[in-house]
Amino acid sequence: MFHSVKISKEACQGCVNCIRVCPTEAIRVVDGEISIIGELCIDCGECLRSCHRQALGIEEDDWNRIKESSRVTLIPDPVFFTQFSHYMNPALLEEVLTSLDFNVLIDELEEAFDLSAAATAQLLARTAPQSLPMISSYCPSVLRLIQSRFPELISRVTPILSPISLAADLWHMRTNSSAPITLLAPCSSKITMVREPQGRERSPIDSVVTVRRVARSIMASNVSTGSGEGRKERNNRWIEWARRGGETKHIKAFSEKKLTILSVSGMRNTIDVLQELELGRLRSVDFIECRTCDTGCVGGIGTADSRFLASLRLNNIKTDWEIKPKDLRRVEELYAMDFWSISKEYMPRPRLPLSDNVAEAMVKLQQMKEIYSGLPHIDCGSCGRPSCQAMAEEIVRGHGSVTDCIFKLREGIASLANKIVVLSESQPQTLKRKGGAN
């Protein structure tokens, strides 16, 4: 199982900040060493934000090595076009990338994002009201969060492949080329999307580097742009997906009926809305757009600039939401090809069993409940585990002891101290006298 969060054990100072923010309780800091339980990690990057010692980082491909190969084919995430103060117009940045001899798949990205939005609109139109709302599958960490913590909501996730992957599929179909494709990703989540895709067996993208790495490389190059003659007019609808609400606007542009759509960003808000959906409180909503990063993908941990500045730049990008007849015809052609839907069902990500033997697992579960009942239930993280519940599970699995809890250790020391006091005041039986006289 691949994960895009890498660990530098030497840099870890045991501050447990990462343990506190992990939404799936995947991190442990035991014996001074940090570890991540792969089956629980959803690569959301929350731990990376909390680590101030660089003990956690992003596992990406070597950009320098990629550049040294033949002409590089790039798929830039929409976020990439929000990272530059001196290339405010996306067409300028496209020109810069082309001048650096990169093959940039902008045409494919425009069509793929239109296709994804249109497919979602079609899905919402034919879905029975009792099966609504549907949930966006665009954010890979949201999908993995649902698989881990809200498996009963999996059937509500749209069975539509990422438009980023669809753009790569389109290019391969048109060119019949086997040249490698590199994704410029804004977060650890989309790196894992390439390495271990959901909904398909294999990603059409070959390598992935962060937006930060390439954006800083371009800033250092200080490439100047031309007069602008011959630049292709772009609708820029797909770039709006970089922030919260962009996907929503795109879907509405293709929908023939009025939709009620809820857009949320940030891990806490995402979990809150999924919990409300789980409880049946969102029946009047047709679609939910969730992003685990604050303000949307512009808040990804792999970006180069402030998410607030990136959002401001998006406000200045001219976006054409009117679907032209030629765009609609092209989308209808692609939709009929049916390559946009997932070929592999989304499956729950169950926690590791306590034992492969059912009877033994039941015994361990009872032991875990007994151990948990004796713990302080304050989830302080001092034991190196995210919660007392996780601590009890670790003990049952043989990966810890009750004395790892500082409060239980203190109770044990206090009890031992009392016994020592009693022992120090005791006398041998041969020296004792009835009535207390010596």
Side-chain angles (χ1 to χ4, degrees), residues 113-114 117-122 124 235 237-238 241 245-259 261 319-324 327-328 331:
F113 276 81
D114 272 356
T120 303
Q122 289 283 344
L124 295 176
N235 60 57
R237 290 188 289 265
W238 70 284
W241 287 52
E247 179 185 8
T248 293
K249 290 180 181 178
H250 209 162
I251 293 169
K252 286 183 176 180
F254 279 99
S255 179
E256 296 180 358
K257 74 170 187 176
K258 185 177 180 180
L259 297 174
I261 298 181
T319 304
D320 183 7
W321 291 108
E322 181 184 354
I323 309 300
K324 303 292 192 301
D327 295 333
L328 187 58
V331 166

Side-chain angles (χ1 to χ4, degrees), residues 11-129:
C12 180
Q13 299 295 308
C15 67
V16 305
N17 287 336
C18 56
I19 291 176
R20 296 176 184 276
V21 300
C22 180
T24 56
E25 298 191 343
I27 303 177
R28 305 287 186 270
V29 181
V30 180
D31 295 331
E33 287 194 357
I34 184 173
S35 62
I36 298 176
I37 300 175
E39 290 78 7
L40 301 180
C41 179
I42 61 172
D43 292 289
C44 61
E46 291 297 300
C47 56
L48 296 169
R49 302 180 205 280
S50 69
C51 183
H52 306 298
R53 300 279 184 176
Q54 285 77 52
L56 297 170
I58 298 178
E59 192 75 57
E60 59 183 304
D61 289 307
D62 187 342
W63 175 238
N64 292 326
R65 181 187 58 79
I66 293 172
K67 287 193 298 180
E68 290 171 358
S69 60
S70 57
R71 191 183 185 200
V72 179
T73 300
L74 292 181
I75 287 189
D77 186 272
V79 170
F80 187 74
F81 291 86
T82 70
Q83 301 296 293
F84 303 86
S85 59
H86 50 300
Y87 302 129
M88 295 291 286
N89 187 336
L92 292 178
L93 187 53
E94 182 183 349
E95 184 179 316
V96 169
L97 292 171
T98 303
S99 69
L100 292 171
D101 200 31
F102 294 131
N103 177 27
V104 191
L105 308 186
I106 303 297
D107 290 340
E108 289 78 9
L109 283 165
E110 279 191 332
E111 293 183 3
F113 276 81
D114 272 356
L115 173 60
S116 180
T120 303
Q122 289 283 344
L123 178 66
L124 295 176
R126 66 174 185 265
T127 300

Side-chain angles (χ1 to χ4, degrees), residues 136-203:
S136 168
S137 59
Y138 183 67
C139 177
S141 284
V142 171
L143 174 55
R144 291 172 185 270
L145 177 67
I146 291 171
Q147 291 172 311
S148 297
R149 290 187 55 175
F150 305 95
E152 63 279 3
L153 299 180
I154 289 178
S155 62
R156 294 183 178 271
V157 179
T158 54
I160 299 172
L161 294 171
S162 167
I164 293 173
S165 297
L166 291 176
D169 288 328
L170 276 173
W171 185 76
H172 281 305
M173 283 192 296
R174 288 172 179 170
T175 64
N176 199 28
S177 172
S178 59
I181 298 176
T182 300
L183 170 65
L184 310 185
C187 59
S188 52
S189 176
K190 287 183 180 175
I191 292 177
T192 302
M193 177 191 75
V194 172
R195 296 284 190 256
E196 195 174 80
Q198 297 289 314
R200 64 191 305 165
E201 292 295 336
R202 183 181 179 277
S203 173

